[in-house]
């Protein structure tokens, strides 16, 4: 049984990573310009795309990467790493939901949070997301190298 994803699967996952990194760049720009008014169209695009692309990316990671980790590392060794990644997925999902909620409030004209709190929230999200993507890309490289070594 071939334990590596097809090229198209990798391409879809990498494209999702590129889109998430692009949203991180947009969120960084928003955070840099707070407390200036945030463009409603930018808020709308973030609110409509961030969660769907994050959910699709996480589903691909769970479908493509987790089983290959088990195959390369063995179930017991991979179990801890996979559990940690699932926890990260839940935290990333919650953080993205908070970002979308807050940007939706700003789009509607206000927020329950201070500008400083919004800036910290955005920075926390995009910094964590960037680290997560780098870590997952490293796992993909290691899995690919493990397959080539066989």
């Amino acid at each position: 049984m071939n334990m590596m994803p097809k090229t198209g699967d990798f391409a879809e996952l990498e494209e999702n990573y590129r889109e998430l990194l692009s949203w991180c760049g947009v969120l960084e720009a928003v955070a840099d310009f707070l407390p200036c008014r945030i463009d409603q169209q930018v808020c709308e695009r973030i609110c409509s795309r961030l969660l769907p692309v994050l959910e699709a990316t996480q589903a691909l990671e769970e479908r493509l990467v987790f089983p290959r980790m088990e195959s390369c590392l063995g179930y017991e060794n991979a179990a801890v790493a996979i559990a940690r990644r699932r926890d990260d997925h839940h935290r990333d999902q919650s953080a993205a939901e908070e970002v979308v909620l807050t940007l939706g409030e700003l789009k509607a004209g206000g927020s329950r949070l201070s500008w400083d709190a919004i800036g910290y929230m955005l920075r926390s999200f995009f910094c964590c997301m960037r680290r997560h993507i780098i870590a997952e890309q490293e796992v993909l490289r290691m899995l690919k190298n493990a397959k080539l070594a066989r």
Side-chain angles (χ1 to χ4, degrees):
M1 179 172 157
N2 182 1
M3 292 310 297
M4 289 304 292
K6 295 176 281 200
T7 303
D9 292 334
F10 271 129
E12 184 179 0
L13 188 55
E14 287 296 334
E15 180 57 35
N16 285 6
Y17 288 150
R18 279 189 289 281
E19 185 174 351
L20 284 170
L21 290 171
S22 175
W23 288 123
C24 289
V26 171
L27 291 170
E28 184 172 19
V30 168
D32 286 347
F33 288 102
L34 290 176
C36 293
R37 184 182 154 299
I38 301 171
D39 184 88
Q40 287 193 347
Q41 289 181 339
V42 170
C43 282
E44 183 59 38
R45 285 195 304 261
I46 295 168
C47 290
S48 68
R49 281 299 298 157
L50 184 61
L51 285 171
V53 74
L54 179 62
E55 290 167 356
T57 302
Q58 290 175 341
L60 281 170
E61 287 173 350
E62 291 191 18
R63 181 172 60 88
L64 301 173
V65 178
F66 291 4
R68 281 134 186 112
M69 288 174 68
E70 287 178 348
S71 174
C72 288
L73 302 174
Y75 177 77
E76 288 190 22
N77 290 330
V80 172
I82 290 170
R84 188 176 312 120
R85 281 175 167 72
R86 282 197 173 108
D87 287 344
D88 287 345
H89 284 180
H90 292 298
R91 279 191 289 279
D92 290 346
Q93 181 75 22
S94 294
E97 289 168 358
E98 187 68 21
V99 165
V100 168
L101 173 69
T102 301
L103 292 178
E105 290 173 350
L106 290 174
K107 188 179 86 158
S111 176
R112 69 204 183 298
L113 301 174
S114 70
W115 290 115
D116 284 341
I118 294 168
Y120 288 126
M121 176 189 56
L122 295 178
R123 289 183 192 290
S124 175
F125 176 78
F126 67 72
C127 287
C128 288
M129 186 57 48
R130 285 173 174 158
R131 278 194 304 270
H132 175 93
I133 291 168
I134 290 167
E136 289 302 319
Q137 289 173 326
E138 183 59 30
V139 168
L140 290 175
R141 277 190 290 281
M142 288 187 302
L143 292 173
K144 182 179 179 184
N145 290 339
K147 182 184 184 235
L148 292 175
R150 288 184 182 177

